[in-house]
Amino acid sequence: MSSANSGALRGTAWMLASIVANTIELVLVHWLGPDWPAPLQLFWRQGAALIILSPLIIRAGKGAFMTSSPGIIMFRSIAAMLGLTLWIYATSHLPLATATTLSFTRPLWIVLLAWLMLGEKVGGLKAGAVCLGFVGVLVMVQPGASTEAPLAQGAAILSSLLFAFSFVSIKAMTNNNDPLVIMVYSCLLGVLFTAAPAAWMWRTPSLSQGLLLFGLGVASLSAFGCMLRALSLQGAASLMPLDYLRLPLVTVVGLLLFGERPGLAALAGGSLILLSALTTAFGDRISRRRAAA
């Protein structure tokens, strides 16, 4: 087996591991449920992740905090923390499959932001995919008629927009910032941003709840670390379509663990969102191949 094929297989394996870790994180958030408000969950999540990273921080010393782009890191951290807070709220109040499907609006937001903020050209295929995706959102959330929590649906969509801001920012940082630095600031600023609201709504966890909250930190770091490893072995264009395996996996997990059965509107809207996201992902790959030909 050639080294290129070996790297591709290992990259795929790491990406699948990231998907499994992200699914575990979703289940833990859903299991804790609305009784644990989003800022409180996020405080424990980021705090646990910071504890796990502490040996690497001690070993790196000042290097764990050295950055040439403090403004972008601050902006990215604020966008990510707000997005995570809304994501946790949505995941706690919506069926897992619904929350996951609405998260797939992120590529659509990224296309819009890249056009508005970075001046990137958006062809007819991408523009059509974006429109199709937002039609899917309308079908799924059924404005004025949906039986699911409208605030949670809005939170899921808004969190995807904030994650898109975070993604665009992190692309600008990866060239001159170590991944450890990005993770450390994300965890540290996350703890600082959520400390006040967490103290206001504080509740001391039981042993089982403490394990679940600590597990959030483990799962989130594992998902991020596995994705970074995958991206170091294989290109993003090849790996990102694998991310859509989260939907069938989460749907099965939601059915088995929580007895959640997606309704007809959720299936129809979700199919449109998934189709638009896949069109965006594979459209990029086709465009690159045509440009290279």
Side-chain angles (χ1 to χ4, degrees), residues 250-266:
V250 164
T251 301
V252 171
V253 169
L255 177 62
L256 294 178
L257 293 183
F258 304 104
E260 298 173 350
R261 298 178 181 273
L264 182 60

Side-chain angles (χ1 to χ4, degrees), residues 52-268:
I52 297 167
L53 285 174
S54 58
L56 296 177
I57 296 173
I58 293 171
R59 188 174 67 179
K62 293 182 180 179
F65 303 94
M66 297 297 291
T67 175
S68 58
S69 48
I72 298 178
I73 278 193
M74 181 65 72
F75 174 81
R76 184 261 166 190
S77 296
I78 292 172
M81 289 308 104
L82 290 174
L84 280 169
T85 301
L86 292 170
W87 174 78
I88 290 172
Y89 175 81
T91 303
S92 300
H93 290 78
L94 291 173
L96 287 178
T98 300
T100 301
T101 304
L102 290 175
S103 75
F104 288 145
T105 57
R106 190 184 318 176
L108 313 181
W109 290 121
I110 290 173
V111 170
L112 288 176
L113 290 176
W115 174 53
L116 293 171
M117 298 173 60
L118 304 178
E120 292 186 6
K121 293 182 179 180
V122 178
L125 184 64
K126 276 189 179 181
V130 169
C131 293
L132 181 63
F134 286 111
V135 169
V137 170
L138 292 175
V139 171
M140 173 171 271
V141 303
Q142 304 175 73
S146 176
T147 58
E148 293 178 354
L151 283 178
Q153 291 174 336
I157 296 169
L158 185 54
S159 73
S160 292
L161 172 59
L162 289 165
F163 284 143
F165 275 112
S166 174
F167 180 82
V168 171
S169 300
I170 207 168
K171 284 187 69 175
M173 290 191 298
T174 50
N175 291 333
N176 54 6
N177 286 278
D178 188 275
L180 176 63
V181 173
I182 298 172
M183 288 192 290
V184 167
Y185 275 105
S186 176
C187 295
L188 184 60
L189 293 174
V191 170
L192 293 176
F193 292 158
T194 57
W200 177 260
M201 53 187 68
W202 184 261
R203 53 179 298 187
T204 302
S206 64
L207 177 60
S208 60
Q209 291 169 336
L211 291 174
L212 291 175
L213 291 165
F214 189 79
L216 285 178
V218 176
S220 64
L221 272 183
S222 298
F224 187 63
C226 289
M227 180 173 285
L228 286 178
R229 180 61 175 159
L231 289 171
S232 71
L233 294 167
Q234 196 174 350
S238 300
L239 289 171
M240 285 305 103
L242 290 173
D243 191 43
Y244 301 113
L245 291 174
R246 284 193 296 127
L247 184 55
L249 178 60
V250 164
T251 301
V252 171
V253 169
L255 177 62
L256 294 178
L257 293 183
F258 304 104
E260 298 173 350
R261 298 178 181 273
L264 182 60
L267 290 173

